Amino acid sequence: MLGKIMSRKIIHVDMDCFYAAIEVRDNPSLTGLPVAVGGASDRRGVISTCNYQARTFGVHSAMATSFAQRLCPQLKVIPGRMQHYQMVSKQIRQIFDRYTDIIEPLSLDEAYLDVSSSNLFDGSATLIAKDIRRAIKNETGLTASAGIAPNKFLAKVCSDENKPDGQCVVSPERVEQFVQLLPLKKIPGVGKVTLERLAKYGLCTCADVRSMPKTELIRLFGNLGDMLYQRARGIDQRLLTTSRVRKSLSVERTFSVDLNNTISTLPALESLYTELSRRLEKHPERQICNQQIKLKFSDFKVTTVERQSNKLNRLLFDTLLPIAWSRSPDQGIRLLGLGVTFKPSITTSDIQLPLF
Ligand code: TTP
Ligand code: MG
């Protein structure tokens, strides 16, 4: 046996009733009402999603709108605004960017983040997830749920555990206990048809799968059997698939008490600078072209100042801080951010994109 493999820290973030939550946020008169986003019933439309009030009536995604309206006659059905949802999704991804470089978006409202080598919050993935959800709520007015675990599968499953607006951690010590109780239908990739097939062999939970030898699972179910053998033991070695090319990199901190003078911001500036340098070292192939500082004042107004820069330079941030602060000199600051913009670079993924 080789030495113990270092445990990874994966966060799965999933927005709560994403499209519906955006519609309610943008039209407060819908607050408290059952709301769905989807196609009209007279056009044989289906529901894309609905809020939690509508879910109490049994309404759910992919249901015919006409049926949903029979279950819940007062249901407000709103046509979707994809471009708008895409814009909000982009805003959320920009928030993720502040926490790690290893991000795999799964859909508009969902992503995996690998924070194994992050030093933020002393490396606590639980606190990082909490802070991501706080930032999403502050900046978009929407709630997200998160799962924190040593791999993608467990993180995704547990992000559902405390939905909406909650999070769940499965630490390496708790994996065993968590999977023992897990029904197979919770495993991503196990759909209705597969479940019926598994049930014929008496397989309904991970504990059932664990009692069947691996060879038998593979004989009966092929690759699926191998996948189930692993998942039932809490194993998932898949890495995150990341393909995006970053345009910028920034780190920021919200203070528990507003800061009122330059001296009191210096420790935060110092540690943010250390974090930014550390993150930049992971992009040795990229050249920067700008440095920015961002301040959020006590009255929540945000200002940014940027200057050209080819090489990360601490003194430049020291110079930009008073310039930014002079825009609201009577205010304290509740947030400080440091960032850089990269020079555009041509990468393999850029070249591949037009092919598809
Ligand atoms: P989900 O994350 O599956 O659902 P949700 O965010 O609406 O609700 P939950 O709180 O349970 O996470 O999907 C994200 C968005 O994708 C959803 O808001 C609408 C869209 N979607 C469809 O258009 N059709 C579908 O069948 C599903 C499942 C989702
Ligand atoms: Mg969601």
Side-chain angles (χ1 to χ4, degrees), residues 2 4 136 153 159 225 261 263 271 317:
L2 293 168
K4 190 168 176 278
I136 292 177
F153 148 65
S159 70
N261 55 58
I263 301 281
S271 79
F317 286 125

Side-chain angles (χ1 to χ4, degrees), residues 252-281:
E252 60 180 48
R253 179 162 311 156
T254 302
F255 307 112
S256 44
V257 182
D258 293 358
L259 304 179
N260 287 310
N261 55 58
T262 317
I263 301 281
S264 60
T265 61
L266 289 181
L269 199 145
E270 182 67 39
S271 79
L272 283 168
Y273 182 79
T274 308
E275 172 71 10
L276 185 66
S277 323
R278 199 184 61 76
R279 300 264 307 270
L280 256 182
E281 278 167 17

Side-chain angles (χ1 to χ4, degrees), residues 70-306:
R70 246 178 286 152
L71 289 177
C72 176
Q74 66 274 44
L75 184 69
K76 303 271 180 211
V77 181
I78 297 164
R81 295 183 290 160
M82 276 317 287
Q83 274 190 343
H84 188 53
Y85 307 146
Q86 276 160 358
M87 198 191 73
V88 180
S89 176
K90 205 166 156 194
Q91 206 184 345
I92 292 162
R93 286 190 193 163
Q94 279 167 357
I95 295 176
F96 295 154
D97 280 342
R98 295 179 209 151
Y99 295 84
T100 175
D101 292 325
I102 312 172
I103 301 168
E104 177 182 344
L106 290 179
S107 66
L108 286 186
D109 91 319
E110 236 185 304
Y112 290 115
L113 285 79
D114 187 330
V115 296
S116 308
S117 61
S118 173
N119 289 337
L120 294 170
F121 298 95
D122 290 327
S124 161
T126 305
L127 294 182
I128 296 175
K130 216 167 161 190
D131 202 62
I132 293 172
R133 293 176 40 242
R134 179 201 56 76
I136 292 177
K137 204 169 189 172
N138 270 354
E139 294 169 40
T140 69
L142 302 167
T143 62
S145 298
I148 302 107
N151 61 47
K152 285 175 31 167
F153 148 65
L154 291 169
K156 181 158 167 92
V157 173
C158 76
S159 70
D160 249 356
E161 292 282 300
N162 293 320
K163 238 181 193 304
D165 200 14
Q167 66 183 53
C168 166
V169 188
V170 177
S171 58
E173 306 75 52
R174 215 165 71 82
V175 170
E176 193 62 24
Q177 178 201 355
F178 187 79
V179 286
Q180 281 289 352
L181 300 170
L182 199 67
L184 298 179
K185 69 165 187 240
K186 293 257 187 165
I187 299 181
V190 177
K192 218 172 140 215
V193 178
T194 309
L195 271 179
E196 282 168 15
R197 232 176 106 209
L198 295 168
K200 281 193 192 135
Y201 294 91
L203 303 174
C204 298
T205 65
C206 285
D208 298 335
V209 169
R210 288 169 71 133
S211 63
M212 191 177 266
K214 186 175 185 180
T215 45
E216 186 69 355
L217 281 167
I218 294 177
R219 189 182 67 79
L220 291 172
F221 308 109
N223 285 343
L224 171 73
D226 188 30
M227 189 268 271
L228 289 175
Y229 176 88
Q230 295 189 35
R231 303 294 181 268
R233 287 162 179 78
I235 302 169
D236 177 6
Q237 286 168 337
R238 289 172 304 158
L239 297 175
L240 272 64
T241 312
T242 57
S243 62
R244 243 162 16 95
V245 180
R246 215 179 231 291
K247 295 196 179 90
S248 62
L249 178 65
S250 62
V251 290
E252 60 180 48
R253 179 162 311 156
T254 302
F255 307 112
S256 44
V257 182
D258 293 358
L259 304 179
N260 287 310
N261 55 58
T262 317
I263 301 281
S264 60
T265 61
L266 289 181
L269 199 145
E270 182 67 39
S271 79
L272 283 168
Y273 182 79
T274 308
E275 172 71 10
L276 185 66
S277 323
R278 199 184 61 76
R279 300 264 307 270
L280 256 182
E281 278 167 17
K282 294 189 184 155
H283 301 274
E285 75 293 357
R286 302 294 301 274
Q287 267 233 322
I288 67 164
C289 54
N290 264 328
Q291 279 182 226
Q292 317 77 52
I293 198 160
K294 170 178 164 186
L295 296 185
K296 188 188 274 180
F297 295 105
S298 303
D299 62 2
F300 285 85
K301 285 210 181 84
V302 175
T303 194
T304 57
V305 185
E306 66 176 15

